[in-house]
Amino acid sequence: MRTILALTVLASAAMSANAADIKSGLQVGDYPGAYHVADITGPSAGKKLCYRCQYSSRPVVNIFVRKMDENVAKLVKELDNTVAKNSANKMAAFVVVLSDDPDAQEAALKTAATKHGIKHTPLTVFENSAGPNKYKIAKDADVTVMMWVESDVKVNHAMKSADLNSDAIKKIIGDTQKILN
């Protein structure tokens, strides 16, 4: 019995360590380069553009996801509220779904934006499940969050979908202060 309990504890610790050890996306101090997305719900819906270019040196949160599920939608809704509250600081955010079939994502993104009242954070699609080359999105990261200001990455979070819970969302939203001050 002790052996089974010890193995269970070790397995849980290893799973938690692996989730925390995911390295994905630009790291703190990196420069966020330009890349194009298809805007689905933002002000340029139906067009391809570079939000990285458009937002320039503003405080920006860029989230890469593999799919728009309920936990991602909750994160985006919280982020959307934070962007709205910080409009005087010109804070911006955008979400990029990585997909080899971008057309298949359109309906889900429109539904999520409507259902969750996401108004200030464009939901977009990148035409490749690997993401922009220079951004180094890890295959095992379901969610990669990067925050930058003045073209300097200040925050990076990467995780599996299962690790995106209310505590992780609270931590991510709290870290927006690092690009606002």
Side-chain angles (χ1 to χ4, degrees):
M1 185 65 172
R2 286 184 191 184
T3 303
I4 292 172
L5 180 59
L7 289 173
T8 302
V9 169
L10 286 174
S12 289
M15 286 173 34
S16 294
N18 288 340
D21 291 340
I22 295 175
K23 183 176 180 181
S24 180
L26 300 174
Q27 300 302 301
V28 173
D30 286 347
Y31 173 82
Y35 67 96
H36 287 82
V37 295
D39 190 351
I40 305 301
T41 68
S44 297
K47 298 178 184 173
K48 290 190 178 183
L49 75 154
C50 175
Y51 271 115
R52 161 61 187 104
C53 303
Q54 186 173 335
Y55 292 150
S56 188
S57 62
R58 295 165 59 178
V60 176
V61 180
N62 182 186
I63 302 175
F64 287 96
V65 298
R66 303 277 174 204
K67 66 179 180 176
M68 179 61 72
D69 61 20
E70 280 300 309
N71 285 337
V72 169
K74 288 176 187 175
L75 168 61
V76 176
K77 179 58 183 170
E78 289 294 323
L79 178 60
D80 195 59
N81 291 338
T82 302
V83 169
K85 290 175 189 170
N86 288 284
S87 62
N89 294 324
K90 298 189 178 187
M91 182 182 185
F94 63 109
V95 176
V96 180
V97 176
L98 303 172
S99 177
D100 291 324
D101 186 7
D103 293 337
Q105 303 300 319
E106 190 171 336
L109 293 177
K110 287 180 178 179
T111 298
T114 300
K115 178 180 176 183
H116 296 280
I118 299 167
K119 298 175 182 159
H120 308 283
T121 306
L123 305 180
T124 71
V125 178
F126 186 80
E127 292 186 42
N128 182 322
S129 62
N133 286 337
K134 292 181 180 179
Y135 277 68
K136 305 174 208 151
I137 306 299
K139 289 180 183 178
D140 58 342
D142 296 322
V143 179
T144 302
V145 180
M146 291 165 285
M147 300 181 200
W148 60 75
V149 64
E150 299 293 331
S151 300
D152 186 28
V153 174
K154 303 289 186 189
V155 176
N156 174 295
H157 293 277
M159 64 197 71
K160 293 282 200 184
S161 292
D163 297 320
L164 183 60
N165 55 34
S166 59
D167 289 339
I169 291 170
K170 184 176 179 181
K171 169 87 171 112
I172 292 167
I173 298 303
D175 278 351
T176 61
Q177 291 305 308
K178 293 178 181 177
I179 61 171
L180 293 169
N181 294 328

